Amino acid sequence: MKEFIQTLKNIWSLKELRDKILFTLGLVLVYRFASYISLPAINMAEVGNLLEHYQNQGGNRQGAGLLGLLSSFTGGAFSRASIMALGIMPYISASIIVQLMGMAIPYLQKLQKDGESGRNTLNQITRWLTIAVCLVQAPSYLTSITQMFLPHAQFGSAYYVHPESIMFWLPSIVILVAGSVFAMWLGEKITDKGIGNGISILIMVGILADLPGAFIQEVATQTGKGGLGSIMILIEVLFWMLVVLLAIILSVAVRKIPIQYVSRAQARGGANRNLMQGARQWIPLKVNASGVMPIIFAQALMFVPGLLTKVDESNSFLAGFKDVFSWQYNVLFAVLIIIFSFFYTAITIPVNQMADDLKRNGGLIPKVRPGKETADYLDDILSKITLPGSIFLAIFAILPAIVHGAFVQTDRFALFFGGTSLLIMVGVILDTVQQINTYLLNHHYDGLMQSKLSRTTNL
């Protein structure tokens, strides 16, 4: 504890680091404040909790679960009809689209290789695409409010302007687009002048904002009539801490591939002694190289099975796909995650380019010939570590359904035991702590995490 307090003093003593942290916290507060400002055309006193109303009116648990996930990413702004309801998610969608298009469009591939100028152009393309995504998502969001959550026939007092009027739609769409662009600007400013990745931090803050309320709801349920008592709360907290620890291990685990760089003079010598004197380094291949992207892709496709219920509404098996906590939904969800893990890893880690770069720079993997054999070797290792990584990722994704059926009583708190929310929180916190450690170590201070925790886990 004394060492931790001393570390905090070291952080505060570094003016540059202190200013970056305060700047980041200031912009996060602005983002949180804006998430409580409602759209001008909607009377928030009458709105209440949209998700709760949706469930009370018989909304299916698939819709409630997915809408709850979207709401958590925006810190509840989605369910409050806030000006920040779309949050940073349109920017994330645009970034994914640009990344996927970069694999098929030569112009984008060229920009990815052009260094700083290419990245700036890609960022500008992403910003404009974000506006385009907002122009699609904003009307969809307003339609869901006016037709599904708050139909005017039943909730006329919730609107200052009739929802079918152009004076409702046009200003609301402009405000929602402006709110998303403002969130994107805040994230970029945090990245430039603050600490950590700004976009990721805003998502993490939105997720964490719902944690206290979800925990309080779980405590009230467990200690109330029909609950399992206070001891179960303690068991849940301890299990959640264990899950967080496993998520950290999954996020940082790598397989190190040893490589050697040999100078031209040593290579011409031809002696094994000179070869062994080359610089030793490593290629770290992450066990979970795809991060949370397979979960996001799989979740986007899980809307489709729910549509199958319209074919035969009396079929109990098909009806299970409408419930995010059913075994049918989660088995298919896990299989899709494993498939997308291999797919995304294959398209984002260019083993052929890695092998060419090694050969061009005089590097080699011991006992493996440069060129094609090196690429095949890296691809083989990557396939072997991706399988367990994808299985663990799938387990994390369906863990909320497992714990909800076992001992967690509420849906909101169960979502924090795995899935996208937990992995995003762990990844962002690790990245931010690593940047803080870099500042401390550059000024000859010990980092926030002890050496054993800050080292990358090796498999």
Side-chain angles (χ1 to χ4, degrees):
M1 188 64 182
K2 184 184 295 185
E3 293 180 358
F4 179 74
I5 295 175
Q6 183 60 43
T7 301
L8 295 180
K9 291 180 179 179
N10 294 338
I11 293 174
W12 192 254
S13 65
L14 297 176
K15 184 179 184 305
E16 181 184 3
L17 181 57
R18 181 176 70 243
D19 291 345
K20 284 180 174 290
I21 293 176
L22 293 177
F23 181 82
T24 300
L25 292 176
L27 293 191
V28 167
L29 287 175
V30 172
Y31 177 74
R32 291 298 302 148
F33 176 77
S35 68
Y36 283 89
I37 303 175
S38 62
L39 291 171
I42 297 180
N43 182 1
M44 281 303 295
E46 298 290 336
V47 169
N49 191 317
L50 301 182
L51 295 178
E52 182 180 352
H53 165 73
Y54 179 63
Q55 290 175 295
N56 291 340
Q57 295 299 315
N60 63 66
R61 295 180 71 182
Q62 181 192 22
L66 293 174
L67 291 172
L69 184 63
L70 290 174
S71 183
S72 69
F73 284 166
T74 59
F78 188 91
S79 60
R80 286 191 293 267
S82 165
I83 62 174
M84 307 291 285
L86 299 183
I88 204 66
M89 297 312 295
Y91 179 82
I92 300 298
S93 301
S95 300
I96 295 173
I97 293 173
V98 171
Q99 187 176 13
L100 293 177
M101 288 174 61
M103 303 169 194
I105 300 177
Y107 174 70
L108 295 180
Q109 293 177 353
K110 180 178 180 297
L111 290 177
Q112 291 174 348
K113 300 177 182 178
D114 282 348
E116 188 66 25
S117 62
R119 283 194 297 270
N120 291 335
T121 304
L122 283 174
N123 289 337
Q124 194 63 25
I125 294 174
T126 305
R127 294 187 188 107
W128 284 107
L129 187 57
T130 299
I131 297 177
V133 173
C134 288
L135 291 175
V136 174
Q137 291 186 354
S140 300
Y141 174 72
L142 294 173
T143 300
S144 67
I145 288 180
T146 57
Q147 296 184 8
M148 186 182 300
F149 299 123
L150 294 173
H152 186 264
Q154 288 85 16
F155 299 92
S157 59
Y159 296 96
Y160 291 117
V161 181
H162 196 284
E164 295 181 0
S165 169
I166 187 65
M167 295 307 296
F168 172 86
W169 284 87
L170 185 59
S172 297
I173 290 175
V174 172
I175 291 172
L176 287 173
V177 173
S180 186
V181 172
F182 180 61
M184 176 182 67
W185 180 82
L186 288 176
E188 291 182 349
K189 285 300 178 183
I190 291 175
T191 302
D192 294 339
K193 299 182 179 180
I195 193 78
N197 184 291
I199 303 297
S200 301
I201 286 177
L202 293 183
I203 296 177
M204 181 194 70
V205 168
I207 294 171
L208 288 176
D210 192 50
L211 180 58
F215 181 70
I216 292 173
Q217 183 183 20
E218 178 69 16
V219 171
T221 304
Q222 291 285 19
T223 56
K225 185 178 180 180
L228 301 178
S230 302
I231 188 64
M232 184 55 65
I233 299 296
L234 178 61
I235 294 175
E236 289 178 5
V237 171
L238 293 177
F239 184 74
W240 184 76
M241 294 175 65
L242 175 62
V243 172
V244 171
L245 177 61
L246 294 176
I248 293 174
I249 294 175
L250 178 64
S251 299
V252 302
V254 299
R255 168 71 182 272
K256 288 185 175 181
I257 308 298
I259 59 174
Q260 294 175 335
Y261 285 100
V262 185
S263 65
R264 293 181 179 179
Q266 290 173 331
R268 283 197 299 267
N272 291 334
R273 177 179 58 83
N274 289 333
L275 181 63
M276 296 305 294
Q277 288 176 351
R280 290 179 178 271
Q281 295 186 24
W282 310 88
I283 298 178
L285 296 179
K286 297 191 70 172
V287 174
N288 181 30
S290 54
V292 298
M293 296 308 298
I295 298 180
I296 294 175
F297 287 152
Q299 208 142 34
L301 288 181
M302 289 308 295
F303 285 99
V304 177
L307 299 176
L308 297 177
T309 57
K310 296 183 179 181
V311 178
D312 185 5
E313 296 183 357
S314 62
N315 192 314
S316 59
F317 177 79
L318 294 179
F321 289 107
K322 297 173 64 176
D323 184 0
V324 293
F325 295 105
S326 68
W327 70 267
Q328 297 99 316
Y329 182 95
N330 285 277
V331 167
L332 179 59
F333 191 33
V335 171
L336 288 176
I337 289 172
I338 293 174
I339 294 173
F340 280 122
S341 293
F342 279 93
F343 170 75
Y344 195 80
T345 301
I347 63 177
T348 55
I349 300 184
V351 291
N352 290 326
Q353 182 179 341
M354 292 169 63
D356 291 340
D357 291 342
L358 276 177
K359 185 177 181 180
R360 186 163 47 250
N361 295 317
L364 56 88
I365 299 175
K367 301 181 181 180
V368 179
R369 293 182 179 179
K372 186 178 183 304
E373 287 192 17
T374 298
D376 293 340
Y377 178 80
L378 293 174
D379 184 66
D380 180 61
I381 295 296
L382 199 60
S383 299
K384 290 179 179 177
I385 64 176
T386 299
L387 178 59
S390 63
I391 293 175
F392 278 113
L393 186 64
I395 292 174
F396 272 104
I398 66 174
L399 195 57
I402 296 175
V403 299
H404 185 271
F407 50 86
V408 179
Q409 297 290 320
T410 59
D411 295 357
R412 287 175 64 191
F413 192 58
L415 291 175
F416 284 95
F417 278 83
T420 315
S421 301
L422 182 66
L423 291 174
I424 287 177
M425 288 191 298
V426 168
V428 174
I429 291 174
L430 287 177
D431 179 64
T432 305
V433 169
Q434 186 177 16
Q435 290 194 28
I436 294 175
N437 279 345
T438 301
Y439 276 98
L440 293 174
L441 295 175
N442 286 340
H443 290 80
H444 308 290
Y445 289 124
D446 291 331
L448 265 174
M449 298 187 296
Q450 297 298 322
S451 58
K452 290 183 179 180
L453 292 178
S454 59
R455 289 174 188 162
T456 302
T457 303
N458 303 319
L459 294 180

